[in-house]
Amino acid sequence: MGCGLQRSLLLIYQGEFVSAFYMYPAVYTLIPLFLLIGLNLFLKVKRLNKIINLLAILSISIIIINFILKFLN
């Protein structure tokens, strides 16, 4: 029992993008978030921090909404 992130990443790897979204909707914001955080370690770009913050807030919002919806069903 877990959040479904690893299973959704496996589904993306297999090309099942819609199934990955239903498994864990935040996967599509977390992938670019982690890539940009890694990129930010090597390159210091001013606007990259704003994008990272926006993606983090969006990811957290999706995770919370998804949890509430799954809890109610």
Side-chain angles (χ1 to χ4, degrees):
M1 186 159 159
C3 65
L5 178 62
Q6 292 176 335
R7 288 177 283 169
S8 67
L9 288 172
L10 181 63
L11 287 169
I12 289 174
Y13 180 73
Q14 295 172 349
E16 299 180 26
F17 301 108
V18 175
S19 298
F21 177 78
Y22 285 121
M23 179 67 64
Y24 193 68
V27 71
Y28 291 113
T29 56
L30 289 174
I31 291 172
L33 176 64
F34 290 136
L35 290 174
L36 288 176
I37 289 173
L39 184 65
N40 195 32
L41 293 174
F42 299 107
L43 302 173
K44 300 298 180 189
V45 180
K46 286 183 182 179
R47 296 183 185 204
L48 201 56
N49 286 331
K50 289 183 181 181
I51 296 171
I52 289 172
N53 288 337
L54 178 66
L55 278 173
I57 291 169
L58 185 61
S59 296
I60 291 170
S61 300
I62 292 171
I63 291 168
I64 291 171
I65 291 169
N66 184 42
F67 176 77
I68 291 170
L69 290 175
K70 284 185 178 183
F71 185 72
L72 293 176
N73 288 332

